[in-house]
Amino acid sequence: MKLGSRRSLLSGRLESASSNGVGRAMAALRRGFAGLVGLSAVFNLFMLTGSLFMLQVYDRVLTSRSVPTLVALLILVTGIYACLAALEIVRLRASTRIADWFGDEIGAAVARLAIGRPSHGSSAHGSGTGRQEQRSNPMQDFDRLRAFIGSPAAIALCDLPWLPLYLAVAFAFHAYLGMLALAGVAVLLGLAAVGDRLAQEPVRLANAATAQRARLIDTAARASETIAGLGMRGAYISKYAAVDGELRDAGRHASDRMALFIGASRGIRLFLQSASLALGAYLALRNEITAGMIIAVSIVTSRALAPVEQAIGHWRAFVAARQSWTRLREQVADPDEPRTRLPRPESSLEVAGLSVAAPLSDRILLGGINFSLAAGSSLGVIGPSGAGKSTLARALVGVLPPLEGSIRLDGADLSQWQADQLGRYVGYLPQDIELFDGTVAENIARLDLRPDSEAVLAAARRAGAHALIASLPEGYDTVIGQGGMTLSTGQRQRIGLARALFGSPFLIVLDEPTSNLDAEGDEALRKAVKAARLAHAIVIVITHRPSAIAACDQVLVLSNGKQAAFGPREAILRENGQRPVRVASP
């Protein structure tokens, strides 16, 4: 078998993501930009070359009519401009490296957030749409922020701290010229502040509409057969067009506002450049400055205003990046203190006073759940649709956090376990089975980079899927395609069951495991439950069908999100007017 043949480039980073947090990312960003600002200091000093060259040409070369002096100045300026070009290349390359550096520090944590946490949440508290917006797409926020860090917009911000240098040069020529340049900078900075305030809301709305459109596209890709089979294409396209229209409106609103400030800033800069020429000419007529200073101060004033104008031009990108960082900072927590690795659970599962709320809201989905199970026992969870069965399944495997109460394995609350460590001891078959693009073996092995072939075979045999898999064109090495598109629904469910049993987990939670199985599959499930109990595992089967819990010794009845009954299987089924299904004891 070709197990472990594929290697993820991000695996090392994902494994160390817990050691990377906001603090380290910010430290990396500060160190990187400190160096970039230092480069910008040299760059801006060199940018004075043009004004000083013009000053020398007008005041020295033209008055002395010295061609050698002109040639020497030209050679000197050529060398300086060559260094300037090299510095600009270095700055742009450095900003790209800083973006990569920042990505190295926080990228794995963002990937873990996007991949390891389900979209329905890390917190049951909080209401809202706004909160859901903030958690909508961490990878999109990360990509937007990293792109901004490596863009010329970030370079423009690094030039802003050196405005005082140009103002000082302008004041050195004449106080009036310095005050004119200072007034121009103040006006442009005021425009930037107003533009920032007015651009935040349109940019936020545009980002929210972008995220909603991305979700619609993702849903359409996953549910394309349903949309086509039910004749929903027209309706779905109309819904997409409405969201796309909201995105265009928000983007146009943001662009219109920024266009106003960009146009105003450019007009003000051009006016101030001409005004500095006029003021310089007036002062030259009064013999307070030389003729060369007229041109030189015009260049200096233009250069002093250029970083502010560039910052205003990139302001929308800056606002979007800042909002992305705010969202990421709230979601990507600093690393937790290292936890003691708990031993493999082997004795009990205890659920006490468990309540679970709907993701990102306060609506209670499940409340007042109490039961305990010993190793080697199994529980069947039954109840009508909407009773909270799937919610209980998600809570038991750590996908949904408790609002109140606790879930404990061998006395340790689930929160004490690291997520990846807990996953090794839990087997989970969700109601909606998601298989991944890859081979059958890779899916059973939970995409383990170095899976044990014997463990894969053992899991398939326990699930009664070995013969099914062996009949596939390439057996365990059959590539099943995105979502398992090459397999039937029943085959996907059998492979999903094998994945749940991989590694002989202690707690096995099966949500509607027989929904797509035939009689042979039902029998395979019963045998799998029996075998797991004999291996001292705890098995929880959630189903509508009493026959699916034939191998269970305990039954939990849910109704309207509450615990209606819990006890021995035969007694509970008899109380609910159902005839127990007799099976041999495990």
Side-chain angles (χ1 to χ4, degrees):
M1 290 168 48
K2 303 174 184 178
L3 298 179
S5 58
R6 301 184 179 188
R7 296 293 183 264
S8 170
L9 294 177
L10 289 176
S11 60
R13 294 180 182 177
L14 286 175
E15 290 174 359
S16 62
S18 60
S19 64
N20 297 329
V22 173
R24 288 186 57 176
M26 282 301 297
L29 203 57
R30 290 192 189 100
R31 290 194 299 269
F33 269 96
L36 199 58
V37 171
L39 284 175
S40 297
V42 181
F43 180 85
N44 281 277
L45 280 173
F46 282 0
M47 285 298 292
L48 293 172
T49 301
S51 58
L52 295 177
F53 177 74
M54 295 302 297
L55 180 65
Q56 295 300 315
V57 167
Y58 275 86
D59 289 352
R60 186 181 298 271
V61 174
L62 292 183
T63 55
S64 67
R65 306 182 69 83
S66 172
V67 174
T69 301
L70 178 62
V71 172
L73 286 173
L74 184 60
I75 293 173
L76 178 62
V77 165
T78 302
I80 292 176
Y81 281 149
C83 293
L84 192 67
L87 267 178
E88 182 69 351
I89 294 171
V90 170
R91 286 206 307 170
L92 291 171
R93 289 171 64 89
S95 67
T96 303
R97 301 305 185 275
I98 293 169
D100 291 341
W101 192 6
F102 175 80
D104 288 340
E105 292 297 337
I106 202 174
V110 175
R112 184 173 292 276
L113 174 71
I115 299 170
R117 286 186 196 171
S119 61
H120 42 270
S122 61
S123 175
H125 297 286
S127 58
T129 309
R131 195 169 177 93
Q132 191 171 5
E133 258 176 30
Q134 291 177 352
R135 294 182 176 271
S136 58
N137 197 329
M139 287 304 298
Q140 188 179 57
D141 284 332
F142 171 70
D143 289 338
R144 183 183 295 118
L145 182 58
R146 185 168 57 176
F148 174 80
I149 294 171
S151 72
I155 299 285
L157 292 179
C158 291
D159 286 335
L160 282 176
W162 303 108
L163 277 177
L165 172 66
Y166 298 101
L167 294 177
V169 173
F171 273 102
F173 287 137
H174 197 282
Y176 287 170
L177 294 171
M179 285 187 287
L180 178 63
L182 180 61
V185 169
V187 170
L188 289 182
L189 289 176
L191 273 177
V194 174
D196 177 43
R197 179 177 294 273
L198 295 181
Q200 286 186 22
E201 184 63 13
V203 171
R204 185 189 67 80
L205 292 175
N207 290 340
T210 300
Q212 187 178 0
R213 187 179 66 172
R215 287 194 297 271
L216 282 174
I217 294 173
D218 181 63
T219 301
R222 288 186 289 105
S224 58
E225 293 183 5
T226 302
I227 292 172
L230 296 177
M232 295 168 56
R233 281 180 178 156
Y236 204 89
I237 289 173
S238 297
K239 185 174 183 178
Y240 174 85
V243 173
D244 190 58
E246 293 177 5
L247 173 60
R248 290 198 307 272
D249 291 343
R252 184 170 57 249
H253 192 193
S255 297
D256 288 348
R257 288 190 176 183
M258 290 311 303
L260 173 64
F261 292 102
I262 292 172
S265 66
R266 186 159 300 170
I268 291 172
R269 183 178 66 82
L270 293 173
F271 166 75
L272 288 171
Q273 191 171 356
S274 297
S276 66
L277 280 171
L279 180 58
Y282 171 74
L283 294 173
L285 290 174
R286 296 184 58 177
N287 295 319
E288 296 187 28
I289 62 172
T290 65
M293 291 182 182
I294 300 174
I295 305 300
V297 78
S298 174
I299 296 174
V300 168
T301 302
S302 175
R303 178 57 196 167
L305 300 176
V308 184
E309 184 185 1
Q310 290 173 3
I312 293 175
H314 294 295
W315 206 255
R316 181 177 176 183
F318 172 69
V319 172
R322 187 175 61 187
Q323 291 177 351
S324 294
W325 172 242
T326 300
R327 288 190 291 266
L328 283 178
R329 187 173 56 191
E330 292 179 355
Q331 296 180 72
V332 183
D334 284 321
D336 296 330
E337 292 296 325
R339 297 180 179 180
T340 302
R341 292 181 66 86
L342 298 176
R344 174 187 173 88
E346 57 183 20
S347 62
S348 66
L349 167 68
E350 299 176 7
V351 178
L354 177 65
S355 294
V356 181
L360 303 174
S361 79
D362 295 323
R363 185 169 66 90
I364 304 298
L365 299 179
L366 198 65
I369 308 301
N370 296 275
F371 64 87
S372 62
L373 298 170
S377 61
S378 57
L379 172 70
V381 182
I382 60 175
S385 297
K389 301 188 298 300
S390 293
T391 299
L392 176 61
R394 295 187 184 106
L396 290 174
V397 299
V399 172
L400 286 179
L403 180 65
E404 294 178 354
S406 64
I407 302 172
R408 297 180 180 273
L409 290 174
D410 287 8
D413 192 271
L414 290 190
S415 61
Q416 298 179 26
W417 302 79
Q418 293 180 349
D420 288 350
Q421 184 192 11
L422 178 64
R424 297 189 185 99
Y425 308 138
V426 172
Y428 179 42
L429 178 67
Q431 189 169 349
D432 297 322
I433 300 168
E434 289 286 349
L435 297 181
F436 305 99
D437 190 9
T439 66
V440 172
E442 288 171 337
N443 274 271
I444 293 175
R446 306 182 184 185
L447 303 183
D448 194 333
L449 295 179
R450 297 176 180 85
D452 181 356
S453 298
E454 293 301 322
V456 172
L457 292 169
R461 288 193 176 101
R462 284 196 296 270
H466 176 70
L468 179 155
I469 297 171
S471 68
L472 296 175
E474 295 183 56
Y476 285 85
D477 296 316
T478 300
V479 177
I480 63 176
Q482 184 67 37
M485 63 178 65
T486 64
L487 303 175
S488 69
T489 305
Q491 288 173 326
R492 289 199 296 268
Q493 193 154 31
R494 298 279 285 278
I495 292 173
L497 177 59
R499 181 175 61 189
L501 299 175
F502 177 76
S504 300
F506 173 71
L507 175 62
I508 302 170
V509 180
L510 310 175
D511 191 359
E512 296 292 351
T514 61
S515 58
N516 297 297
L517 298 183
D518 53 18
E520 180 183 353
D522 281 348
E523 180 60 27
L525 174 66
R526 284 193 288 270
K527 289 180 178 179
V529 173
K530 290 180 183 180
R533 292 180 60 188
L534 286 171
H536 301 287
I538 293 175
V539 184
I540 297 177
V541 180
I542 296 170
T543 183
H544 287 89
R545 297 163 57 180
S547 61
I549 59 172
C552 299
D553 56 346
Q554 302 286 321
V555 168
L556 172 68
V557 181
L558 297 180
S559 178
N560 296 321
K562 300 292 184 181
Q563 180 170 320
F566 170 71
R569 175 176 58 91
E570 294 188 3
I572 296 299
L573 292 181
R574 191 177 296 111
E575 289 176 7
N576 285 266
Q578 297 176 0
R579 182 179 179 182
V581 179
R582 299 287 181 177
V583 294
S585 299

